[in-house]
Amino acid sequence: MEQNTERKHVAIIGAGITGLSAAYHLQQAGHSVVVFENSSRIGGVIQSSTKDGFLYEHGPNSLMVNDRRVENLIQKTNLSSEVLVANKAANKRFVIHQGKLNTLPSSPASFLTCSLFSFKAKLRLAKEPFIAKRPAEAGGESFADFVRRRLGPEMLEKAAGPFVNGIYAGDPNRLSTNYAFPRLFALEQEHGSLFKGMLKTAREIKTGKGDTNRLAKREIISFKNGMESLPKGIAALLEEGTLFLDTKLGGISYNKKTKRWHIDWKGKNGTIGQGSFSDVIITVPAHKLEELPLEEKVLDAISRVPHLDYPPVASMMLGFKRSQVKHPLDGFGMLNALNEKSKILGALFTSTLFPGRAPDDCVTINIMLGGSRTPEHGKMSESAMKASAMDELRRLLGIQGSPVFSSLVRWEKAIPQINIGYSSILEQLKQCERKFSGIHFSGNYRGGISVGDCIISGIKLTEKISS
Ligand SMILES: Cc1cc2nc3c(=O)[nH]c(=O)nc-3n(C[C@H](O)[C@H](O)[C@H](O)COP(=O)(O)OP(=O)(O)OC[C@H]3O[C@@H](n4cnc5c(N)ncnc54)[C@H](O)[C@@H]3O)c2cc1C
């Protein structure tokens, strides 16, 4: 990033991956930065733990690297030697349909010959390039309607529905195509067809045209010691004195005349501090915005944002002796088809994905429960969750006996749902940013929820502040 002539003094609130990416890139661009974090650790939802020879994640299990900017950041962190690329088996994905595991086809040939999709669904898919584009409209279209219209109902039920479970733990009938799946939306808008758009984009990436940040090779990665290595690696690149952990903010006020932000805080051991900043980047989750000591008029300006839906998700890691599991676990994991009656959302075969997740004679399976369509399953007692998970694992994977390892992480408010109506939330954020110069709202509820998207949001903020 180029050195900027005007040096800005920037406060970042929240040391999750969005805040850390912004901090690193802003410092690289020559700005002065402090990061306030109210907990004692960095990384936000990216947390890795080890116990009894098992390594498990509380939040993300992996990161998809399909953008040069994300790849560059990882190279800068000196984590290159710790990067683990997902096992090739991860290309295989299973869908639970009518109580059985089915392999999701991964190529046109396997799609034509698979038994998961009916002949009618295959014919319907072939029509996609000839279906007229629907003009973009203010209200937007739900993801379910979009997929049904372009690809047919079976593709929604058996492919797109499970995909939505895996990313958002969301409800495709409510998720907005425009904002939750902007790339798919753009393919239709720009090329009139998803297939035509995908082919053209792939050609452009190969020949170095189009979006030069997109990588031809998409890799799913993690790190030897888990995903938490990434925020730790970025934090190690920050200048000394950048991070204020265990810090409670006392006030964040705006001076209209000077167009500067005044922040006071109470740090670890009761130390009190204050500072004046040209810019404040707020990266806390939307549902936490009201807890910030922001001026009433700022909070009024973003009144709808804290009400964004964040359904509960529970992440249960179960470990078994390899000999207890009949199934080879030769894939990324398994996800429910849309109308499948099940108490789990799906499961990841984590010890297949990356080495070092379990002792040599063991395997791990990460089960997700809850989400938008079945939030009650994310709030069950631990014993009820385990019983539900074991019912499914016995039936689908032929697992015998009890797990030799188990851990449960509950996210009461897990993932923001970018549903129909999100445009009014976005509009409030933009209006607030116009009204109060120097304030910026970022984080996974704006610009994409994946770890890679959050890294890019930090880069885009740096470009905006530097411009
Ligand atoms: C269970 C789960 C599984 C996921 N799986 C994947 C996956 O496999 N791959 C993938 O790419 N993505 C995945 N994601 C999504 C991705 O991990 C997140 O979207 C991303 O890490 C969010 O980063 P963030 O910095 O925006 O927010 P957060 O990580 O929420 O960070 C916000 C930070 O703000 C701090 N904060 C809050 N209030 C205050 C305050 N008052 N003052 C100061 N600081 C405050 C918090 O303590 C936190 O550190 C998953 C998410 C979850 C929950």
Side-chain angles (χ1 to χ4, degrees):
M1 208 155 292
E2 271 176 32
Q3 197 81 3
N4 192 271
T5 42
E6 192 193 347
R7 190 168 195 253
K8 302 276 181 75
H9 196 30
V10 186
I12 298 176
I13 300 169
I17 191 73
T18 308
L20 292 171
S21 166
Y24 169 71
H25 291 100
L26 280 162
Q27 286 187 343
Q28 289 300 299
H31 302 295
S32 118
V33 181
V34 288
V35 182
F36 298 112
E37 166 62 48
N38 67 353
S39 75
S40 55
R41 53 176 297 284
I42 53 156
V45 303
I46 306 180
Q47 299 178 32
S48 316
S49 290
T50 49
K51 199 176 166 206
D52 303 336
F54 290 89
L55 190 162
Y56 59 98
E57 304 286 355
H58 299 215
N61 270 285
S62 62
L63 154 66
M64 160 82 83
V65 182
N66 58 2
D67 189 291
R68 213 171 291 285
R69 294 166 290 183
V70 175
E71 189 182 54
N72 287 345
L73 178 61
I74 293 168
Q75 278 166 4
K76 294 270 165 47
T77 58
N78 293 329
L79 285 172
S80 299
S81 62
E82 292 188 26
V83 169
L84 300 175
V85 178
N87 188 325
K88 276 209 173 81
N91 293 330
K92 189 168 170 187
R93 287 161 195 248
F94 296 100
V95 174
I96 310 165
H97 177 58
Q98 294 180 341
K100 287 201 185 105
L101 270 197
N102 299 267
T103 306
L104 199 64
S106 56
S107 66
S110 60
F111 176 72
L112 285 175
T113 53
C114 79
S115 57
L116 177 62
F117 292 96
S118 67
F119 181 64
K120 197 172 155 198
K122 292 172 188 173
L123 273 185
R124 176 64 181 77
L125 192 70
K127 283 189 189 163
E128 197 279 334
F130 311 103
I131 292 174
K133 128 177 159 184
R134 188 179 126 149
E137 51 179 78
E141 187 181 26
S142 77
F143 187 59
D145 285 344
F146 175 82
V147 175
R148 257 192 299 262
R149 182 170 59 76
R150 292 226 62 93
L151 307 172
E154 257 190 63
M155 284 304 284
L156 172 66
E157 189 194 346
K158 299 171 186 171
F163 165 71
V164 162
N165 260 348
I167 298 179
Y168 282 97
D171 180 352
N173 293 301
R174 289 159 64 202
L175 284 164
S176 150
T177 309
N178 317 25
Y179 296 104
F181 301 97
R183 284 205 180 122
L184 287 178
F185 176 71
L187 284 179
E188 179 182 45
Q189 291 305 312
E190 289 163 23
H191 306 280
S193 146
L194 304 184
F195 286 144
K196 284 187 205 162
M198 281 192 259
L199 283 176
K200 185 150 185 242
T201 312
R203 254 198 318 270
E204 282 178 354
I205 293 173
K206 248 189 185 165
T207 53
K209 289 184 197 144
D211 180 355
T212 50
N213 286 314
R214 291 287 294 278
L215 292 166
K217 197 170 66 169
R218 297 149 58 97
E219 276 183 337
I220 295 173
I221 65 156
S222 182
F223 302 89
K224 194 169 151 251
N225 297 313
M227 285 293 289
E228 197 171 323
S229 297
L230 181 61
K232 283 185 177 162
I234 302 172
L237 299 175
L238 299 177
E239 290 162 15
E240 222 182 299
T242 304
L243 289 169
F244 287 65
L245 302 185
D246 276 319
T247 299
K248 269 210 153 29
L249 299 176
I252 309 170
S253 54
Y254 181 60
N255 185 323
K256 221 171 158 182
K257 271 195 197 141
T258 59
K259 294 202 166 145
R260 288 186 74 84
W261 292 85
H262 184 88
I263 299 185
D264 48 83
W265 65 88
K266 196 169 176 187
K268 233 186 338 203
N269 316 323
T271 49
I272 286 178
Q274 50 178 277
S276 162
F277 301 90
S278 59
D279 296 80
V280 181
I281 299 176
I282 298 179
T283 72
V284 308
H287 62 85
K288 293 252 180 192
L289 284 169
E290 283 175 331
E291 289 172 24
L292 290 177
L294 278 161
E295 286 180 40
E296 200 83 1
K297 29 188 196 189
V298 178
L299 283 175
D300 282 350
I302 52 160
S303 58
R304 294 182 64 120
V305 187
H307 304 294
L308 203 66
D309 183 24
Y310 278 74
V313 170
S315 167
M316 179 174 263
M317 182 68 84
L318 297 180
F320 300 93
K321 291 273 181 205
R322 179 67 260 186
S323 54
Q324 286 179 266
V325 187
K326 222 175 182 178
H327 194 277
L329 303 181
D330 54 343
F332 191 86
M334 54 186 190
L335 286 164
N336 275 316
L338 201 53
N339 297 316
E340 198 69 10
K341 294 264 170 290
S342 165
K343 286 198 175 143
I344 69 166
L345 282 174
L348 296 173
F349 303 155
T350 38
S351 56
T352 303
L353 291 183
F354 303 112
R357 268 47 188 164
D360 284 347
D361 59 342
C362 291
V363 293
T364 50
I365 300 175
N366 188 184
I367 297 116
M368 301 287 176
L369 303 99
S372 260
R373 286 162 57 88
T374 50
E376 65 284 4
H377 296 158
K379 295 180 192 162
M380 296 192 294
S381 69
E382 181 164 358
S383 56
M385 277 188 196
K386 209 188 250 182
S388 302
M390 284 307 298
D391 277 353
E392 297 291 329
L393 300 187
R394 277 192 204 103
R395 196 166 52 84
L396 296 163
L397 304 175
I399 290 185
Q400 289 174 338
S402 304
V404 294
F405 174 83
S406 124
S407 112
L408 174 68
V409 179
R410 290 177 189 274
W411 295 102
E412 260 179 61
K413 289 177 176 280
I415 292 173
Q417 301 299 302
I418 310 301
N419 287 337
I420 296 281
Y422 178 79
S423 57
S424 67
I425 285 177
L426 191 59
E427 194 43 44
Q428 275 205 335
L429 291 170
K430 287 181 181 167
Q431 272 181 19
C432 182
E433 287 168 344
R434 280 195 291 267
K435 191 164 171 192
F436 302 95
S437 130
I439 198 165
H440 312 271
F441 295 93
S442 190
N444 64 358
Y445 64 93
R446 191 178 185 185
I449 63 157
S450 75
V451 173
D453 289 336
C454 292
I455 290 174
I456 291 165
S457 289
I459 296 173
K460 287 186 175 163
L461 275 169
T462 302
E463 288 163 1
K464 184 178 164 205
I465 288 172
S466 301
S467 69

